[in-house]
Amino acid sequence: MATLSSPELRLLLLTVLFLMISADAKEKKTKTLRRTKREWISPPAKLTENTNYTHLEFIAKIRSDKDKDSKVEYYLTGAGADKPPFNLFVVDHNTGFIRITDILDREKYPSYNLTGVAKYKSGTKAEENIPLTVTVLDLNDNAPYFSLHQGKVTEESKKGTFVMQIEGKDDDQAGTINAEIVYSIVSQEPAGRGHMFTIDRKTGKLYVKEPTLDRETHDFYKLVIKGTDMGGAPGGKTGTGTVEIQVLDINDNIPTLEKSE
């Protein structure tokens, strides 16, 4: 059996010692990582407005693995928890289960920026605070509406003359189909021989339709405009508004003289 010389033995002992120290350090690092790990059951990326989630056991869960060593209690802060609207989101102090207590309305609050807090019974923090954002998805639950539009146009204006911009409003989420409005003319007063104006369905720009506007016949028109959301698709919500148009005079009549004596 071969024997090791003193230098070889010393090298072997140093190698074994290094491996033991490395293994111990790795184990401590693993334990440290495990100690700081926070377990999440993430909330739905988005919750839809006008939808009842109150029957669910939880929509999110916060949990610190430090509760294995000592009692940890969980809290929520932020608008929707301990700030208006109060207690819309509540957390079970023992389990970390987060529930919702009412139906969401995106037009009131499009999102909620909450913070999860984990504390020991003594009140000291068990973990760093955990951000929790709840985003509210839009439903088409608002009809278009209009303010009064007033404009002017000169008599005898050519067909296609721009009169004014009509703009409806919709409280549903801008940039979505729920707030995409198309326009149409419902009625005109005085009715005359037909519509004197036309409106671009998509842009809401109002134009002269017939080149026969005559101030001496009618110097004022009132239109009722309809807006339909969902891009005009079946089932879209509708709203109406009033447009008032004054017809301006031009010098289009030859002077006449009464018979003199």
Side-chain angles (χ1 to χ4, degrees):
M1 180 177 178
T3 58
L4 296 174
S5 63
S6 294
E8 291 173 331
L9 183 58
R10 189 179 299 110
L11 179 59
L12 179 60
L13 290 173
L14 288 173
T15 300
V16 171
L17 181 61
F18 174 77
L19 291 174
M20 291 175 64
I21 292 172
S22 297
D24 185 56
K26 185 176 180 181
E27 183 179 356
K28 286 182 179 179
K29 183 179 180 181
T30 301
K31 286 182 178 179
T32 302
L33 289 173
R34 287 175 181 167
R35 294 279 295 172
T36 59
K37 179 183 177 183
R38 287 166 291 180
E39 180 186 336
W40 279 89
I41 298 177
S42 296
K46 295 168 180 163
L47 298 178
T48 304
E49 67 171 338
N50 304 329
T51 303
N52 188 2
Y53 298 103
T54 60
H55 62 285
L56 298 180
E57 186 180 8
F58 59 83
I59 60 161
K61 180 181 176 183
I62 329 168
R63 184 169 183 271
S64 166
D65 69 346
K66 290 185 179 179
D67 64 2
K68 296 175 183 177
D69 304 320
S70 184
K71 175 66 175 175
V72 174
E73 294 183 339
Y74 304 97
Y75 301 87
L76 275 182
T77 64
D82 61 349
K83 297 178 182 177
F86 291 104
N87 298 322
L88 178 60
F89 300 93
V90 294
V91 63
D92 186 301
H93 295 314
N94 297 314
T95 65
F97 282 20
I98 298 172
R99 296 186 302 104
I100 189 168
T101 63
D102 205 349
I103 294 173
L104 301 175
D105 183 353
R106 192 206 67 85
E107 284 69 49
K108 290 183 178 178
Y109 295 93
S111 65
Y112 296 86
N113 296 312
L114 303 169
T115 300
V117 179
K119 293 181 179 180
Y120 293 118
K121 294 270 299 185
S122 63
T124 59
K125 282 187 178 182
E127 300 279 6
E128 291 301 316
N129 291 347
I130 303 169
L132 173 62
T133 300
V134 177
T135 301
V136 185
L137 270 179
D138 187 42
L139 287 178
N140 185 31
D141 57 345
N142 291 279
Y145 60 95
F146 296 84
S147 58
L148 175 65
H149 286 69
Q150 295 176 310
K152 299 176 181 180
V153 65
T154 304
E155 64 176 335
E156 295 189 11
S157 291
K158 294 180 180 180
K159 178 180 180 179
T161 299
F162 175 73
V163 180
M164 61 194 302
Q165 174 71 57
I166 308 300
E167 184 178 3
K169 298 180 180 178
D170 194 308
D171 290 336
D172 290 313
Q173 188 172 357
T176 69
I177 192 68
N178 293 340
E180 184 180 330
I181 301 173
V182 298
Y183 302 88
S184 60
I185 298 175
V186 177
S187 65
Q188 169 191 293
E189 294 180 13
R193 296 181 180 178
H195 284 181
M196 302 299 293
F197 304 93
T198 183
I199 191 168
D200 186 291
R201 176 178 170 84
K202 291 187 177 181
T203 67
K205 294 182 184 295
L206 189 70
Y207 300 95
V208 172
K209 182 180 180 183
E210 301 294 341
T212 54
L213 289 169
D214 183 2
R215 188 197 68 83
E216 285 71 40
T217 303
H218 299 297
D219 64 355
F220 179 84
Y221 287 91
K222 182 170 76 172
L223 308 179
V224 174
I225 304 294
K226 181 172 73 172
T228 306
D229 63 17
M230 297 289 287
K237 295 184 178 297
T238 63
T240 59
T242 301
V243 176
E244 296 179 347
I245 304 169
Q246 181 183 355
V247 181
L248 302 178
D249 187 36
I250 63 171
N251 187 21
D252 60 340
N253 290 285
I254 299 173
T256 58
L257 293 176
E258 293 183 3
K259 183 177 179 180
S260 61
E261 295 180 358

